[in-house]
Amino acid sequence: MDWVTIDKISHHVDKTVELRGWVANRRSSGKIRFLQIRDGQGVIQCVFMADRVPAEAFDLADKIPYESSVIVHGVVRRDPRSAIGFEITAEELVLVSEAEPYPITKKEHGVGFLMDHRHLWLRSSRQTALMKIRSVLTRSARAYFDDLGFVSVEAPILTPTACEGTTSLFEVGYFDRSAYLTQSGQLYGEAAAMALGKIYVYGPSFRAEKSKTRRHLTEFWMIEPEMAFWDLNDTIGLAEGLVCRIVSEILDKCSESLQSLERDTTHLKKVIPPFPRITYSEGVHILKNRGSQFNWGDDFGADEEAILSEAFEKPVFVTHYPGSIKPFYMKRDPADDNLALAVDLLASEGYGEIIGGGQREDSFDTLQQRIAEHGLDQGPLEWYLDLRRYGSVTHAGFGLGIERALAWITGIHHVRETIPFPRLMDRLYP
Ligand code: 4AD
Ligand code: MG
């Protein structure tokens, strides 16, 4: 008898199979017991009839605690009433490990309780749907760059400097000195682009941001391409292609998961090129027209981004931000030194920024001056300045935040559910 998983159950109709999983649900009706068995690939109903299974198995099916692990033997049957089209007529039930009373029940639990039990909450159908879509998202993002001939490069997690400003650094002891958890692989990505032309870094980023919003994690994942001899405009085209590829692969491969999340995909089907492109100044104009008190020169916050992203049907690129609100490495616009050649992509439906990037400062002198202006120590950045000393070229790149992209695509409210074990300002457990 073959051990089969639920995703492959359709290949085994009328065959006797072995199923290995956990009890997700149970009910009884007269001389029949129903167990919903979950095996990670899916959920299937197993039907235990008094006259078809040993008495002990029938008994066990009546009282087995939720989330106990079990092995079921039975015959796969087509069943039009089943959500997956199949059920199992059970012949045997073996208890692998009896579960203690399971803390997550059918009643509504508060978010704090669920977060404390994240290691168990992950087993729920909503959470497994999110994790499956996350997996397709990261796989399609990598495949997009792989197909374009980008080289995948790893950046260090322990770093000597800030990339995205000194206020959100996590400091860790490093023998007799300090190190910082990386905020972005970008600076190392730039070095690798000078070696390999087109690269991408995929890895975790850390920000000690004291923000308790629905889109801030202290540990999140980014995919960051960096390209030598590319400018701002080239980079925007690359970002557009990436987002379209991710969305179309998820629509294509994750329809079941999207359905179980009750995601209305109408908006996602509109995610095709070209995306609208506006400048920061045009964005400010839109905000003012919609009654916002926003001042030119301030950074867009969640409210402003929500207004802008709701103003467009598709994700919108915003470029040419004031240089003063952007990091030291951003190249200024040759036509207006107050502006940076920066780009953010604001997702639709009010989700706001999912991508940040731009063209990098390639002049040694200007970069050195910016490092000083930002109050950064030049010493630990000498290696980065070397990239401008030895064959500096126009180059650009961006970072896509995996969790924010996933929250938008799946239509969920808070990024805490988009990562297996979220790290938030007030959450380090489990
Ligand atoms: O805009 P950010 O800060 O850009 C960078 O880090 C650049 N160095 C990337 C590059 O050009 N290679 O961050 C990029 C993206 C954001 O658009 C957002 O999606 C995500 O990373 N992000 C966060 N996601 C969750 N929680 C946070 N605290 C995040 N901070 C940024
Ligand atoms: Mg940003």
Side-chain angles (χ1 to χ4, degrees):
M1 191 184 325
D2 287 340
W3 169 29
V4 301
T5 51
I6 295 169
D7 55 326
K8 299 282 186 318
I9 210 83
S10 64
H11 305 313
H12 301 272
V13 179
D14 296 331
K15 304 247 166 61
T16 304
V17 299
E18 176 175 315
L19 206 66
R20 303 177 184 179
W22 296 263
V23 177
N25 216 336
R26 144 169 76 66
R27 74 192 164 83
S28 299
S29 155
K31 288 207 171 315
I32 309 185
R33 309 280 174 262
F34 301 96
L35 292 189
Q36 301 284 334
I37 302 294
R38 162 185 88 64
D39 75 347
Q41 316 297 314
V43 183
I44 195 166
Q45 173 158 280
C46 300
V47 185
F48 293 77
M49 286 172 272
D51 53 356
R52 289 211 44 166
V53 292
E56 307 85 75
F58 190 74
D59 240 25
L60 183 60
D62 195 32
K63 55 179 203 305
I64 188 165
Y66 292 122
E67 291 303 322
S68 296
S69 43
V70 292
I71 294 175
V72 176
H73 295 166
V75 182
V76 180
R77 307 268 187 225
R78 265 184 219 290
D79 188 318
R81 292 161 303 175
S82 146
I84 62 165
F86 303 94
E87 64 174 30
I88 289 187
T89 305
E91 290 173 346
E92 183 58 287
L93 176 65
V94 180
L95 182 62
V96 177
S97 174
E98 182 175 322
E100 293 180 25
Y102 196 59
I104 301 179
T105 59
K106 276 195 212 110
K107 71 164 207 230
E108 287 274 317
H109 293 289
V111 169
F113 178 86
L114 290 170
M115 292 281 279
D116 284 341
H117 294 86
R118 180 65 179 167
H119 49 295
L120 302 177
W121 188 23
L122 267 185
R123 301 180 184 192
S124 76
S125 58
R126 174 182 163 95
Q127 301 308 319
T128 53
L130 285 166
M131 291 309 118
K132 285 178 186 175
I133 300 174
R134 181 183 171 106
S135 167
V136 171
L137 193 164
T138 53
R139 182 150 34 96
S140 62
R142 299 191 67 129
Y144 174 73
F145 294 118
D146 294 340
D147 292 350
L148 290 171
F150 282 59
V151 178
S152 160
V153 165
E154 286 75 33
I157 309 292
L158 292 165
T159 65
T161 47
C163 177
E164 299 296 321
T166 48
T167 51
S168 65
L169 283 173
F170 275 115
E171 190 171 346
V172 292
Y174 195 74
F175 304 107
D176 54 353
R177 57 205 158 110
S178 286
Y180 307 101
L181 298 181
T182 183
Q183 296 168 306
S184 158
Q186 178 195 321
L187 306 187
Y188 298 94
E190 288 181 54
M194 300 306 138
L196 294 154
K198 296 180 296 192
I199 64 90
Y200 68 92
V201 176
Y202 175 57
S205 297
F206 305 86
R207 309 254 172 114
E209 274 165 324
K210 294 203 170 84
S211 319
K212 292 185 184 169
T213 75
R214 69 188 185 98
R215 37 185 226 158
H216 282 92
L217 295 161
T218 54
E219 180 177 318
F220 61 97
W221 287 68
M222 260 205 278
I223 192 153
E224 299 181 273
E226 193 70 33
M227 299 75 64
F229 295 104
W230 286 43
D231 64 11
L232 177 66
N233 216 29
D234 301 326
T235 293
I236 294 174
L238 185 76
E240 188 174 83
L242 172 66
V243 171
C244 292
R245 165 89 178 246
I246 289 172
V247 170
S248 78
E249 277 201 33
I250 290 177
L251 283 172
D252 189 37
K253 296 186 174 139
C254 304
S255 53
E256 230 172 83
S257 297
L258 287 168
Q259 243 169 37
S260 83
L261 294 167
E262 292 171 2
R263 174 60 163 144
D264 173 1
T265 54
T266 340
H267 263 93
L268 295 180
K269 292 186 179 130
K270 294 182 189 144
V271 181
I272 43 170
F275 296 170
R277 300 176 184 193
I278 60 169
T279 62
Y280 168 89
S281 295
E282 286 165 346
V284 173
H285 197 71
I286 293 173
L287 291 173
K288 290 207 160 136
N289 276 343
R290 298 193 176 217
S292 156
Q293 302 290 313
F294 190 81
N295 290 316
W296 196 100
D298 291 344
D299 204 356
F300 295 152
D303 293 344
E304 287 78 26
E305 286 184 8
I307 296 173
L308 290 175
S309 90
E310 264 155 12
F312 297 89
E313 273 214 315
K314 294 185 193 182
V316 54
F317 286 110
V318 183
T319 62
H320 299 85
Y321 283 79
S324 55
I325 55 171
K326 288 292 177 187
F328 74 98
Y329 54 72
M330 290 262 184
K331 188 174 175 67
R332 297 297 169 96
D333 182 0
D336 181 348
D337 196 52
N338 289 313
L339 302 178
L341 295 179
V343 60
D344 277 8
L345 181 67
L346 312 184
S348 43
E349 298 170 82
Y351 274 87
E353 180 193 341
I354 57 170
I355 282 180
Q359 197 172 318
R360 320 306 189 189
E361 181 52 69
D362 47 84
S363 144
F364 176 87
D365 291 337
T366 313
L367 184 60
Q368 192 176 36
Q369 189 190 321
R370 297 256 184 271
I371 289 171
E373 280 168 12
H374 279 79
L376 296 170
D377 233 358
Q378 186 172 316
L381 284 168
E382 280 299 339
W383 69 270
Y384 184 64
L385 278 160
D386 271 356
L387 307 178
R388 279 72 180 170
R389 285 189 182 99
Y390 305 108
S392 185
V393 299
T394 299
H395 64 290
F398 64 83
L400 168 81
I402 302 298
E403 292 75 18
R404 286 195 193 169
L406 185 61
W408 163 58
I409 294 169
T410 56
I412 67 161
H413 181 69
H414 201 296
V415 288
R416 66 185 161 224
E417 286 178 69
T418 60
I419 183 164
F421 294 96
R423 294 290 168 252
L424 301 160
M425 199 181 154
D426 51 9
R427 167 122 349 236
L428 197 57
Y429 175 91

